[in-house]
Amino acid sequence: MSAQAPGAVPPGGERPRRSLLVLLPVLVFAVLAVAFFVRLRSGADPAALPSALIGKPVPAFALPPVSGLLADGKPVPGLSSADLKGQVTVLNVFASWCAPCQVEHPMLMRLAQEPGIRLVGIDYKDPGDAGRRWLERNGLPFAAVGADTSGRAGIDLGVYGVPETFIIGPDGVIRDKLVGIVTPENYASVLGRIRAAGRSPPVTN
């Protein structure tokens, strides 16, 4: 019987199969990371992923204000689903621990200056006063901010990764959902979708 040469592959190819199994999770992670980075930098339309809630009323919720958050020396109110009627409202779900939220925030500050747009926020699963300190540091674009410390409202809205933004019609019905960040590249497209929600007729179920 001849001796097996050093480094030869065992019968059945066991060593290559084991190596592939070890490398597979690393390759999957790398592909996902590259895809996220490309999406982040490309300015692709953030409404690419649909939501099952589009065309349906906003799920009922009532969130307290972010403790200690002030605007012009007055407390910023909390947020409930009842507040999302009467005019087109843009609802942004954010968190202080969310790196993409940091990138998006200047665009929200810009959006808040657009005439006829009401922008409100949900501070999602932020511990302690982290959300308040983050908004004080980066600027407050929101007319109202609800503190969703448990994440319950986010779950009901179908949030699976912040930031997410909902465009809500005057009738309280979700007209659109933007998944991903608002960027200088897609800002005009996002603004157009918001304006379109105000022109479209109420949704009847």
Side-chain angles (χ1 to χ4, degrees), residues 8 12 19 36 51-52 62 92 112 136 164 167 190 194:
S19 299
F36 175 80
S51 168
N92 179 261
E136 289 175 347
E164 291 188 12
I167 301 173
V190 170
I194 296 170

Side-chain angles (χ1 to χ4, degrees), residues 82-145:
D83 300 326
L84 305 177
K85 290 186 177 182
Q87 68 180 94
V88 174
T89 303
V90 180
L91 171 61
N92 179 261
V93 184
F94 71 96
S96 67
W97 42 264
C98 162
C101 296
Q102 184 79 49
V103 177
E104 176 183 61
H105 202 72
M107 292 296 98
L108 298 184
M109 296 294 291
R110 177 180 171 185
L111 190 62
Q113 302 303 313
E114 297 283 353
I117 291 180
R118 180 172 185 255
L119 180 60
V120 298
I122 289 181
D123 184 16
Y124 183 68
K125 289 187 175 182
D126 254 331
D129 62 352
R132 174 184 62 79
R133 290 187 286 107
W134 191 84
L135 287 170
E136 289 175 347
R137 183 171 64 251
N138 293 284
L140 178 64
F142 306 118
V145 185

Side-chain angles (χ1 to χ4, degrees), residues 43-203:
D45 187 350
L49 297 179
S51 168
L53 292 179
I54 291 176
K56 297 181 180 179
V58 175
F61 67 86
L63 297 174
V66 174
S67 180
L69 183 62
L70 303 177
D72 298 325
K74 299 178 180 179
V76 176
L79 188 67
S80 72
S81 51
D83 300 326
L84 305 177
K85 290 186 177 182
Q87 68 180 94
V88 174
T89 303
V90 180
L91 171 61
N92 179 261
V93 184
F94 71 96
S96 67
W97 42 264
C98 162
C101 296
Q102 184 79 49
V103 177
E104 176 183 61
H105 202 72
M107 292 296 98
L108 298 184
M109 296 294 291
R110 177 180 171 185
L111 190 62
Q113 302 303 313
E114 297 283 353
I117 291 180
R118 180 172 185 255
L119 180 60
V120 298
I122 289 181
D123 184 16
Y124 183 68
K125 289 187 175 182
D126 254 331
D129 62 352
R132 174 184 62 79
R133 290 187 286 107
W134 191 84
L135 287 170
E136 289 175 347
R137 183 171 64 251
N138 293 284
L140 178 64
F142 306 118
V145 185
D148 187 17
T149 53
S150 69
R152 181 72 254 176
I155 291 173
D156 291 342
L157 283 165
V159 171
Y160 62 87
V162 291
E164 291 188 12
T165 304
F166 298 84
I167 301 173
I168 301 163
D171 50 2
V173 170
I174 296 174
R175 302 295 179 84
D176 212 340
K177 178 181 180 180
L178 314 177
V179 180
I181 69 172
V182 182
T183 68
E185 291 78 12
N186 65 37
Y187 183 85
S189 173
V190 170
L191 186 59
R193 300 179 81 90
I194 296 170
R195 300 294 190 200
R199 295 190 298 267
S200 59
V203 176

